[in-house]
Amino acid sequence: MASASLLKSSPVIDKAEFFKGQSLRQPSVSVVRCHPNAPSSLTIRASSYADELVKTAKTVASPGRGILAMDESNATCGKRLASIGLENTEANRQAYRTLLVTAPGLGQYISGAILFEETLYQSTTDGKKMVDVLVEQNIVPGIKVDKGLVPLSGSNDESWCQGLDGLASRTAAYYQQGARFAKWRTVVSIPNGPSALAVKEAAWGLARYAAIAQDNGLVPIVEPEILLDGEHGIDRTFEVAQKVWAEVFFYLAENNVLFEGILLKPSMVTPGAECKERATPEQVADYTLKLLHRRIPPAVPGIMFLSGGQSEVEATLNLNAMNQAPNPWHVSFSYARALQNTCLKTWGGSPENVKAAQDALLIRAKANSLAQLGKYTGEGESDEAKKGMFVKDYRKTQWLDVADLLLFKSRPAINPLSHQGVYNCKEFNKTRRD
């Protein structure tokens, strides 16, 4: 359990203040012009939410805390439940999410929780709103706002992320419901290039989303994930990451995004998952911090790394190595599987295992809290926590989530998977034409 002193020591927003002015506001726009006599003066937008955005970002990026990513779509959540023998029903999803948000003292280690839309509007099994339970734990609610990955026409079998249509009205509604930050995930694949088209599409989409989110009071988490797929070494990952982040920040600036009011969710710089030469935590930290110093302005308050299929222990060790010396930013975590894997398997869908599962979640949350402070040792970790969770072609499993929503609910007999479980793009395209 978190002590009162520990909770009060973090710069969090209390519940009353958190929901102050929660009714929808139309963001005003002020214009600042530099060199007013010059024919091409610089225009900078300033949303009426600017102060709140900065405060929210700093709250999420508070010492010793990070983000619990529990925003799996219903289809992806179904795959997690299937791994423990449960059906993908709303009741089972509700039971699991209730287990997560009600873990006693979770707010000592977790500052924000990313939710799927269903969860944002959902209540716990005891009838309390999930959002209220999080706020009582001093955890800021966030919301996944992208609509998933789909094939990018004209590219080398790459992806783009959809969801900009209607985003302004959706983010405004999410703010009313209690969300204070948002997440948009797009991916870049090294084995497939990445092509200039895919990188530009990823960067532009992230920038438009970030500007729209800020205009409606939500701190945008900017997440261009560089997938682990491939045999490439760490130097190739570093090279690609530099290009991607240069493009991302160029377009963030073009869209007048307030850097002090965003959070970043990058991949760590690691070798490809199939590379024979593995990197030590010290090497990962060295390459990753070098990338951050070259590409990320110090105005950005927090870098919340994704785990990207690393084992629970590997993700924590790498984060710890990056916090052995002071950084210009809050360097922390935004983990899903790397926080939940052991918890989920411990639960197994049995009510009598809830406490043990919550304890497993708190162990991982505390370990990553210590890593954020540079104090994690890795002692006493279970074998389960050391197992890797890399899923090859993970972006294509997201394509299937979208297909499941748009097509396969009405056409259940069509299976776009080959017998090896590898995405069959030709079959999917044929199905769409049909």
Side-chain angles (χ1 to χ4, degrees), residues 131-391:
V131 169
D132 291 344
V133 174
L134 288 170
V135 173
E136 287 171 3
Q137 292 243 51
N138 287 318
I139 298 172
V140 182
I143 178 69
K144 169 187 168 72
V145 299
D146 67 78
K147 292 295 185 180
L149 301 168
V150 292
L152 176 62
S153 300
S155 71
N156 184 27
D157 193 27
E158 295 166 287
S159 308
W160 70 283
C161 188
Q162 57 186 353
L164 290 177
D165 288 350
L167 183 60
S169 59
R170 286 191 291 119
T171 49
Y174 296 151
Y175 182 92
Q176 271 199 325
Q177 186 63 18
R180 290 297 179 271
F181 69 95
K183 174 204 152 179
W184 176 288
R185 173 186 179 258
T186 192
V187 302
V188 172
S189 173
I190 292 180
N192 292 6
S195 67
L197 172 64
V199 172
K200 184 173 182 177
E201 175 61 43
W204 178 254
L206 284 166
R208 289 304 306 139
Y209 137 76
I212 294 168
Q214 286 190 341
D215 274 354
N216 290 284
L218 302 183
V219 170
I221 290 182
V222 177
E223 182 184 357
E225 179 178 354
I226 297 174
L227 296 171
L228 283 176
D229 298 70
E231 302 175 354
H232 54 276
I234 195 168
D235 287 296
R236 175 60 177 157
T237 305
F238 182 78
E239 177 187 5
V240 171
Q242 284 197 104
K243 292 179 180 178
V244 171
W245 281 102
E247 199 91 347
V248 167
F249 272 90
F250 172 79
Y251 285 114
L252 287 173
E254 285 283 291
N255 282 272
N256 301 298
V257 172
L258 177 68
F259 288 174
E260 292 88 348
I262 68 172
L263 295 166
L264 304 186
K265 186 173 179 176
S267 311
M268 297 179 189
V269 181
T270 65
E274 295 156 301
C275 179
K276 294 179 181 179
E277 296 182 14
R278 306 312 301 160
T280 65
E282 291 72 26
Q283 288 174 314
V284 171
D286 180 59
Y287 275 87
T288 304
L289 291 175
K290 188 189 300 182
L291 169 67
L292 295 180
H293 281 284
R294 289 186 180 181
R295 291 292 182 263
I296 311 304
V300 175
I303 315 293
M304 322 300 285
F305 281 101
L306 58 90
S307 56
Q310 301 176 73
S311 74
E312 291 177 328
V313 171
E314 184 182 10
T316 309
L317 284 170
N318 288 338
L319 178 63
N320 186 71
M322 282 186 268
N323 283 297
Q324 294 307 300
N327 292 302
W329 329 265
H330 174 80
V331 176
S332 191
F333 59 93
S334 177
Y335 294 164
R337 287 172 289 169
L339 282 173
Q340 297 181 43
N341 187 56
T342 301
C343 168
L344 178 66
K345 292 184 177 180
T346 301
W347 176 50
S350 300
E352 59 268 23
N353 293 337
V354 167
K355 184 182 183 305
Q358 289 180 329
D359 289 344
L361 173 64
L362 291 171
I363 287 172
R364 292 262 44 90
K366 182 178 180 180
N368 286 289
S369 170
L370 290 170
Q372 198 288 310
L373 300 170
K375 298 178 180 180
Y376 173 73
T377 63
E379 295 178 0
E381 291 283 14
S382 68
D383 290 338
E384 183 64 42
K386 297 175 183 178
K387 292 181 181 178
M389 293 176 283
F390 167 68
V391 177

Side-chain angles (χ1 to χ4, degrees), residues 14-35:
D14 62 42
K15 186 177 181 182
E17 184 180 0
F18 191 81
F19 286 102
K20 184 179 181 181
Q22 186 163 311
S23 59
L24 271 176
R25 294 179 290 166
Q26 293 297 324
S28 62
V29 177
S30 60
V31 176
V32 179
R33 296 195 179 275
C34 302
H35 307 296

Side-chain angles (χ1 to χ4, degrees), residues 32-53:
V32 179
R33 296 195 179 275
C34 302
H35 307 296
N37 296 325
S40 58
S41 54
L42 174 67
T43 301
I44 301 173
R45 294 184 309 110
S47 168
S48 62
Y49 289 105
D51 291 343
E52 182 182 345
L53 293 169

